[in-house]
Amino acid sequence: MEVALFFLLVTTLLATHSQAASPSDQVHLLRPQSGAAGRHIHGVNCLSWRLAVETNTLQKWTLVPEACEQYVGHYMLGRQYRDDCNAVGEAAAEYAKSLKLAGDGKDIWVFDIDETTLSNLPYYARTDVAFGAVAYNDTTFNEWVATGKAPAVPGALKLYKKLVSLGFKIVFLSGTSETYREVRITNLKKAGYHTWVKLILKQVGDKGTAVAYKSTKRGELEKAGYRILGNMGDQWSDLLGTHVGNRTFKVPDPMYYIS
Ligand SMILES: *[C@@H]1O[C@H](CO)[C@@H](O)[C@H](O)[C@H]1NC(C)=O
Ligand SMILES: *[C@@H]1O[C@H](CO)[C@@H](O)[C@H](O)[C@H]1NC(C)=O
Ligand SMILES: [Mg+2]
């Protein structure tokens, strides 16, 4: 009797609610407690901003909004960024395991470097850089790259090792200047990436956007008989354009945008 009454009450409440609620209310009702992370900071919802960034909805943005500097910092240094990166790595590994390789050494996985395999977080966490809320400084960034001290991005090294063990050949395709080849090799090895078939860096003659540059280089790989089965990057410009590969994987990066 009491149980029946309870159900009647719940049913009535739900019915009343769904009649009264507007479509946006209904979406809110699905997770009534989820608002905390997305609260407005000086009128900016930083979680909404980050989502728009990650989905390539927001393009050609130059700086992290000042109001979101702390939010992005917490995200990048905290658990969520690591979990997000690991989730991408695990999805990529699942996909890689599902493929049957030809075994002729032409099955490749293309990795971007910065914020995809090597992390510049020690640099971006500096107060003069402020997680991308302060204008990009070529001089200080290049000084950081020259130290060769970038650690591996969470999840990337594990994926890399899995791919190598599955028989994939690795190609690193980066917008880093050729000038930094030696230090990048040292850095990649120090971080645990020991083998690859190609490390493609930007030559003096490579002009234009990252989309154009990377498309050209991937086209050259395919022309040489390589099959790009997977392609991973932190920028949409790593994954858009031509010859993008059979499947692309986007790792998070709310700190900067490269066209
Ligand atoms: C970049 O940083 C260097 C070293 O701190 C500084 O001298 C230079 O003025 C900065 N450049 C810009 C464009 O802010
Ligand atoms: C990759 O894509 C190409 C072109 O669409 C297709 O021919 C090939 O079968 C795909 N390879 C795999 C392993 O899915
Ligand atoms: Mg990158």
Side-chain angles (χ1 to χ4, degrees):
M1 180 64 178
E2 267 172 24
V3 173
L5 203 68
F6 174 73
F7 273 114
L8 183 70
L9 187 66
V10 168
T11 318
T12 314
L13 273 175
L14 283 175
T16 318
H17 236 103
S18 59
Q19 271 164 19
S22 71
S24 60
D25 285 341
Q26 283 170 14
V27 170
H28 179 68
L29 282 172
L30 295 173
R31 288 279 187 279
Q33 303 301 323
S34 71
R39 72 181 179 275
H40 289 225
I41 302 165
H42 302 302
V44 185
N45 183 319
C46 297
L47 179 53
S48 302
W49 176 82
R50 181 166 68 83
L51 181 66
V53 160
E54 292 303 347
T55 49
N56 206 25
T57 298
L58 208 55
Q59 299 184 354
K60 297 187 179 161
W61 52 278
T62 51
L63 291 176
V64 168
E66 210 182 314
C68 298
E69 176 196 330
Q70 280 215 342
Y71 169 81
V72 170
H74 280 299
Y75 170 74
M76 290 303 298
L77 297 175
R79 180 74 184 270
Q80 192 65 49
Y81 172 66
R82 274 140 198 84
D83 285 354
D84 289 350
C85 287
N86 284 323
V88 179
E90 281 159 23
E94 281 306 306
Y95 161 71
K97 279 190 270 180
S98 77
L99 299 177
K100 200 175 176 305
L101 303 189
D104 57 359
K106 295 289 189 182
D107 295 309
I108 60 170
W109 193 281
V110 175
F111 277 110
D112 167 56
I113 296 183
D114 292 292
E115 268 58 70
T116 301
T117 43
L118 292 181
S119 172
N120 299 304
L121 206 41
Y123 171 78
Y124 279 93
R126 282 165 38 169
T127 51
D128 62 328
V129 187
F131 298 102
V134 170
Y136 174 74
N137 185 317
D138 214 31
T139 311
T140 58
F141 183 71
N142 288 336
E143 280 169 7
W144 154 253
V145 169
T147 65
K149 285 184 176 164
V153 168
L157 188 58
K158 190 176 173 195
L159 170 65
Y160 164 90
K161 285 180 177 165
K162 185 77 205 170
L163 293 170
V164 171
S165 77
L166 289 169
F168 284 86
K169 299 298 174 193
I170 306 297
V171 171
F172 289 110
L173 171 52
S174 167
T176 301
S177 158
E178 177 68 30
T179 326
Y180 295 94
R181 179 171 292 272
E182 285 317 311
V183 73
R184 291 249 100 169
I185 290 174
T186 308
N187 199 154
L188 282 166
K189 292 195 166 169
K190 197 171 4 171
Y193 305 97
H194 293 289
T195 178
W196 53 83
V197 286
K198 280 185 191 298
L199 168 58
I200 304 170
L201 301 178
K202 214 168 195 173
Q203 308 299 307
V204 181
D206 290 327
K207 301 276 184 234
T209 61
V211 173
Y213 160 69
K214 294 206 165 181
S215 294
T216 301
K217 299 299 172 185
R218 288 191 306 261
E220 287 169 11
L221 287 168
E222 289 193 344
K223 214 167 170 190
Y226 290 107
R227 293 176 297 272
I228 304 171
L229 296 178
N231 177 12
M232 181 172 275
D234 65 295
Q235 298 290 318
W236 280 96
S237 53
D238 299 327
L239 312 174
L240 297 174
T242 59
H243 313 282
V244 296
N246 286 60
R247 211 174 135 176
T248 61
F249 294 88
K250 170 77 172 69
V251 289
D253 185 355
M255 301 189 297
Y256 56 88
Y257 179 91
I258 296 174
S259 295

